[in-house]
Amino acid sequence: MRIFGKVRHRPSASWRQATDRAFTLIGDGRYEDAGALLTRAADMEPWLSESWFNLALLHKFRHDWEQARAAGLRAVALLDREAGAPDWWNVGIAATALQDWPLARRAWQAYGLKVPGEGSPSGEPLGMALGSAAVRLSPEGEAEVVWGRRLDPARIEVLSIPLPSSGRRWGEVVLHDGVPHGERTILSADGATRAYPVFDEIELWAPSPVPTWVVLLEAASEADRDALERLAADAGFAAEDWSSSVRLLCRTCSESRMPSDEGDGEHLDPHDHSEPGHPGPLGHRTAGSGSLWVPERECGIAAPSALVRGLLDGWVADSPDTREWRDLEEVC
Ligand SMILES: [Zn+2]
């Protein structure tokens, strides 16, 4: 049909069939077969933005960023809608994966986000001030939700210390998807509740050179434990008391709106480690909740090997009667 000279195309029945079938195949992980069908669908309706959007989506699932960018650009060229199109968001993700910064900036702006003019010399769209968020590492495998700082709409710098089982490190930068799966709420000191999205990781964007250590602490009080976390942070690295910062959540709870620590604006604990089932009506144990302080703590440290022992010794030296450490081991 023709409206004011503009042709609006309805996709044919065979386009719909091919596309539906392709998404079923994608659900089964059969990307090759799905790609053949979506390519056929795009041949049938090349003027339809959706044809290219679907192909771009498939290439995103396959982490084939060159192809995702190419298909995504065809999709946005055919859009009849101004801001807020997910097509642009996916172009932004592909461009970020490829470090195509001019295109990434264009994509976020076209989506309707403000991108500060300056950025870094490379044109990286930094300075968007998107705040904190959580990201689910390895969403398909042994998932772990960690906290981080959003660098831009598609990247988070991990600021929790991931558990050794994740094989991941503090300081990594992760490329993540646009649609959140879950939320963490934090009650701040002024009584307001802030909600933070939980994004799913797509892939590692930049590795971290800083190894992870596990150590057993004897800390007579919470203040002793806090002192180590502060010392590490002051040195430019991190320590995290896993005994209180990690809780186990089933997939359903992890992907829903869950209260997190009361928080003081800086501590965004706990992070969540996946657990197979929901443990009945009482729900999940909250790490360290309602119990007396236990001096023995299992603590993660993210610091270079040249620094980690000195950090621990310095912590003990500040209060030898209340602090001890042992069994330091590099785990990741
Ligand atoms: Zn649950």
Side-chain angles (χ1 to χ4, degrees), residues 248-254 256 258 275 277-280 283-284:
L248 295 172
L249 288 182
C250 72
R251 178 57 69 126
T252 307
C253 287
S254 177
S256 62
M258 292 293 287
E275 180 175 64
H278 188 85
H284 299 282

Side-chain angles (χ1 to χ4, degrees), residues 11-33:
S12 62
S14 42
W15 183 93
R16 290 238 164 270
Q17 275 165 12
T19 302
D20 289 350
R21 174 85 187 121
F23 276 97
T24 305
L25 291 170
I26 288 174
D28 297 338
R30 292 172 59 188
Y31 294 144
E32 296 263 319
D33 299 333

